[in-house]
Amino acid sequence: MNMENLHPPRHLEINGVSRSFGGVPALNDISLSVAHGELICLAGHSGCGKSTLLRVIAGIEMPDQGRILLDGCGISGPNNYVEPEERNIGFMFQDYALFPHLNVLDNILFGLKRLTRPAAQARCLEIVERLGLEHLSRRFPHMLSGGEQQRVALARALAPQPQILLMDEPFSNLDRGLRDGIRTETISLLRELGTTVIMVTHDPEEALSAGDRVVLMRAGEIVQEGSGSDLYDRPANAYTAEFFSTFNKVQGACWNGFLETPLGRFAAPGFADGHTATLYVRPQCLRVNCGAEGVDCTVVDCALMGEIEQIQVSVAALPGPLKIRSAKRSRLRSGDVARISVTPEQVFVF
């Protein structure tokens, strides 16, 4: 039996990649594996290294150290380097980078120069039809809406049938009203085509909803990776928790495996006695009521936000107000006295 067949190479392997600019590290010992047909969301705040990692994968930037393999073959490393145009990796830029002097068809044909003219035209017409761009084929970029430009850029990136498609903030230039629909449509198409995708985003909701796997970065390093539910429900650290959600933060002291706070006592395994830690409570995990349970509070503000009501309350032992969000109407007003309690789910101690 061929043991290698039991463990075929991953589609893309990034091993110990680092990259610095002027002595400032942009990537620090990054390792990541991507499977065939997987959609990875690279998430993180601006400057964390997401776009640099894309550029290194594409071959636009050279890593200072580490290796990148595509289907087991090295494309970047100490002893080899494959030119960007030889990697068969598509790149969709944030600003779409359409050529203003070329119409839609010619923009798409630009990436098909390796094919014969008839083959390129056939492939171009195929992708135009697939993305429903026939009625736009003779228009120039300035004649297109943001959503239409996005689709043309996607068509140009997909036309050469790349092994991997890299997308750098592909939906950030779209109006909020269009973004969700176009993102859903685009991701559905990519899944249908079986395209392997690595998409950069700074939008937490987009990262959680779009990817098979989310890779969260900070300061050139991977902080945590997993499914969207892994990172949202089981954040490994405070950075991950705060990137994907809003929290009320309450400090306390640890004793006998519990964190003692003005909101109550919470499990804190692994913390030494006397250690100061912070309780992270999502606004939807606080309940406000006038019953006997809970902690006394005073309503500071109550605002209706459509489906959600947001209440701010003050607790005597805390320096600042707490935020509560609920789909239920409390009918409370500023100055009312109430009691709040914590729903233990989705509560973290860091």
Side-chain angles (χ1 to χ4, degrees):
M1 179 182 293
N2 186 348
M3 296 301 292
E4 289 186 1
N5 291 334
L6 295 177
H7 302 285
R10 301 282 276 182
H11 193 21
L12 180 72
E13 292 277 356
I14 302 168
N15 297 324
V17 164
S18 295
R19 180 72 169 110
S20 296
F21 297 98
V24 178
L27 299 174
N28 183 24
D29 196 24
I30 294 285
S31 293
L32 180 67
S33 295
V34 183
H36 278 275
E38 192 173 17
L39 198 160
I40 299 287
C41 279
L42 285 180
H45 297 299
S46 297
C48 71
K50 309 183 299 294
S51 295
T52 300
L53 182 55
L54 281 199
R55 294 170 68 86
V56 168
I57 295 169
I60 300 170
E61 297 285 351
M62 288 277 288
D64 297 327
Q65 63 183 46
R67 302 176 66 215
I68 300 178
L69 298 93
L70 188 58
D71 283 337
C73 299
I75 57 174
S76 280
N79 302 315
N80 59 8
Y81 172 73
V82 175
E83 294 291 338
E85 60 272 18
E86 301 291 338
R87 297 188 180 198
N88 195 20
I89 293 176
F91 203 129
M92 185 173 167
F93 295 92
Q94 181 177 0
D95 61 359
Y96 310 140
L98 298 176
F99 297 109
H101 63 289
L102 299 180
N103 65 27
V104 167
L105 284 180
D106 288 337
N107 260 286
I108 297 171
L109 282 168
F110 187 85
L112 298 172
K113 291 184 175 180
R114 290 176 167 271
L115 302 180
T116 63
R117 184 70 180 177
Q121 288 179 331
R123 177 59 185 159
C124 179
L125 293 176
E126 178 187 343
I127 199 70
V128 162
E129 182 179 353
R130 189 65 179 267
L131 270 67
L133 297 171
E134 298 96 330
H135 64 296
L136 304 174
S137 61
R138 298 297 176 185
R139 295 187 186 179
F140 290 84
H142 72 273
M143 303 166 68
L144 305 176
S145 68
E148 289 167 345
Q149 289 185 32
Q150 194 270 352
R151 288 164 63 198
V152 173
L154 178 65
R156 187 177 64 180
L158 290 175
Q161 297 178 301
Q163 292 191 61
I164 296 176
L165 177 60
L166 308 177
M167 307 175 78
D168 194 355
E169 301 274 10
F171 310 107
S172 62
N173 288 335
L174 301 176
D175 293 337
R176 189 72 190 180
L178 292 173
R179 194 178 308 163
D180 292 348
I182 291 177
R183 180 175 62 231
T184 300
E185 175 187 320
T186 300
I187 289 172
S188 177
L189 172 66
L190 293 171
R191 292 195 188 284
E192 185 182 332
L193 294 173
T195 307
T196 303
V197 180
I198 302 177
M199 183 177 81
V200 159
T201 179
H202 68 275
D203 184 329
E205 290 183 11
E206 185 167 271
L208 292 173
S209 63
D212 298 314
R213 189 153 44 106
V214 181
V215 177
L216 181 63
M217 295 182 64
R218 176 180 61 180
E221 298 181 350
I222 293 174
V223 175
Q224 187 175 350
E225 63 176 285
S227 67
S229 59
D230 285 337
L231 272 67
Y232 187 83
D233 295 334
R234 292 172 291 279
N237 47 62
Y239 177 81
T240 301
E242 291 190 75
F243 184 84
F244 291 108
S245 186
T246 299
F247 283 91
N248 295 294
K249 292 181 281 187
V250 180
Q251 285 199 325
C254 296
W255 299 100
N256 301 317
F258 289 89
L259 179 66
E260 304 286 350
T261 78
L263 296 183
R265 194 168 181 251
F266 301 89
F271 286 86
D273 283 357
H275 186 93
T276 298
T278 303
L279 179 73
Y280 280 66
V281 185
R282 289 193 170 107
Q284 62 268 31
C285 294
L286 279 173
R287 294 196 309 262
V288 60
N289 53 61
C290 296
E293 63 175 296
V295 177
D296 289 333
C297 68
T298 301
V299 176
V300 175
D301 183 58
C302 189
L304 181 63
M305 303 172 69
E307 297 177 356
I308 300 296
E309 182 182 67
Q310 179 169 286
I311 306 167
Q312 292 193 60
V313 299
S314 63
V315 174
L318 296 178
L322 300 174
K323 287 184 179 179
I324 305 168
R325 290 179 187 156
S326 174
K328 295 180 179 179
R329 300 283 187 88
S330 66
R331 309 298 180 186
L332 292 170
R333 295 183 178 181
S334 178
D336 286 352
V337 175
R339 296 180 73 84
I340 57 168
S341 58
V342 180
T343 304
E345 295 84 6
Q346 302 295 298
V347 170
F348 308 101
V349 177
F350 297 116

